[in-house]
Amino acid sequence: MKDVFVPELTGTLAVVTGASDGIGLGLAVRLARAGAELVLPVRNPVKGAAAVARIRAAVPGAAVSVPELDLASLASVASLAQTLTAEGRPVNIMVNNAGVMTPPTRHTTADGLELQFGTNHIGHVALVGRLLPLLRAGRARVTTMSSSAARTGRIDWDDLQSERRYSPIRSYGLSKLANLHFGLELDRRSRAGGWGITSNVAHPGTTLTNLYAAGPNLGRTRPAPHAAIMKRLARWGVFVQTVDAGLLPALYAATSPHARGGAFYGPDGFGQFTGGPTELAVYRAARDESDAARVWDVSQRLARVEFDAG
């Protein structure tokens, strides 16, 4: 598979969420190899320390910090943003990668939001909003990770929090469609407001990561079959790719001088399951700019941020 050329990034600061394992960790290694200084906010400090060790084993002397962040808590987001703002370092690259996928029963964040919508989408909206001055100062490239699940996702305006009816896959698709709307709308708002931020969206295809164990096993007494099925498909080389392949669309979107703002990147293979990075047509569900504007407004309110004041 064709690799992604990453330009020299010495002197740049990159913030990557969800980098304690999987695609986020793989992205962090690639960014460190190109010379970027890394801020990798993590929920679990033990996993964060292990990630730093793996990065420095691959890139001796890499500059890495792992402040605590729980995207399922707006107070935690505000605390991290306050710390980074006090440090005052412009942010040049931001990858909104962390997430939770398809817990079998409905869970909520510390702020009462449905866990997938609150973590995958609202937590990142809050973080980007609170870091907006640093992103503007760094003329940042912001890449938000969506999913092919956004293709069949639907925004249920009367039940955003899945309180009336919870379906793991439906709620995940909603959160990933909201990610796609947000990433595209952020670029439109930046261009209209002269913010200097370039925003795009990527998805990793079907990539074997810990997501297939962590989310589906949440609240279960017996292991869900998802991870075992994914590992079997990966061994067979069918519809599943490795982390090193799955990270390439996001890496291209976040670093390539040829990657555009307002664009959507993912695998070029059959069904977008696997393949090399390419620019994709935006899914039909995310083409209505009035829906995107509505997602933007609702998300600001739920995330307790005001972008236009940034």
Side-chain angles (χ1 to χ4, degrees):
M1 181 179 296
K2 187 177 180 181
D3 199 5
V4 169
F5 168 75
V6 180
E8 173 64 41
L9 297 176
T10 299
T12 66
L13 180 66
V15 177
V16 183
T17 66
S20 59
D21 59 19
I23 286 174
L25 178 56
L27 284 170
V29 170
R30 294 296 300 270
L31 294 171
R33 282 179 179 155
E37 179 181 338
L38 303 175
V39 175
L40 310 178
V42 296
R43 184 170 57 86
N44 184 327
V46 174
K47 290 183 68 176
V52 171
R54 289 181 62 181
I55 294 166
R56 288 184 175 151
V59 188
V64 191
S65 63
V66 283
E68 287 193 42
L69 171 66
D70 182 357
L71 284 163
S73 164
L74 293 177
S76 178
V77 173
S79 178
L80 172 66
Q82 185 177 32
T83 297
L84 295 180
T85 299
E87 292 173 359
R89 176 86 181 272
V91 176
N92 308 107
I93 296 171
M94 183 169 184
V95 183
N96 298 318
N97 166 73
V100 61
M101 187 176 72
T102 62
T105 58
R106 184 179 183 273
H107 295 258
T108 57
T109 69
D111 305 284
L113 306 175
E114 189 277 318
L115 184 64
Q116 296 181 92
F117 183 73
T119 302
N120 301 350
H121 176 56
I122 295 299
H124 282 117
V125 171
L127 186 59
V128 173
R130 291 186 178 277
L131 294 182
L132 194 63
L134 298 182
L135 295 167
R136 293 183 63 176
R139 300 192 65 82
R141 178 87 61 91
V142 178
T143 296
T144 297
M145 192 70 84
S146 183
S147 165
S148 58
R151 182 162 34 192
T152 54
R154 185 174 69 87
I155 305 292
D156 186 344
W157 299 107
D158 296 321
D159 194 23
L160 279 177
Q161 308 305 327
S162 302
E163 294 172 298
R164 299 178 185 175
R165 180 170 65 92
Y166 177 77
S167 158
I169 294 174
R170 170 180 167 272
S171 295
Y172 181 69
L174 186 158
S175 74
K176 293 286 105 178
L177 177 55
N179 285 152
L180 181 52
H181 271 308
F182 172 70
L184 300 178
E185 185 68 10
L186 176 59
D187 195 72
R188 285 190 283 264
R189 301 273 172 153
S190 176
R191 284 186 279 110
W195 297 349
I197 294 169
T198 299
S199 174
N200 55 28
V201 185
H203 88 76
T206 308
T207 301
L208 182 58
T209 71
N210 189 47
L211 274 180
Y212 289 93
N217 285 324
L218 197 61
R220 292 177 63 102
T221 56
R222 297 178 61 185
H226 300 66
I229 292 170
M230 290 291 292
K231 289 177 181 177
R232 189 174 301 120
L233 291 173
R235 286 198 301 270
W236 294 342
V238 179
F239 301 140
V240 180
Q241 61 189 0
T242 65
V243 166
D244 286 342
L247 64 81
L248 294 179
L251 183 66
Y252 181 87
T255 66
S256 173
H258 303 296
R260 302 187 303 115
F264 181 36
Y265 296 93
D268 62 2
F270 173 76
Q272 301 177 12
F273 293 109
T274 63
T278 191
E279 183 173 335
L280 304 172
V282 173
Y283 297 146
R284 183 181 300 275
R287 292 178 190 169
D288 189 330
E289 293 187 14
S290 64
D291 275 353
R294 188 174 180 184
V295 168
W296 182 270
D297 291 340
V298 169
S299 299
Q300 283 191 116
R301 176 173 56 80
L302 293 176
R304 303 173 196 164
V305 294
E306 182 62 59
F307 278 77
D308 294 334

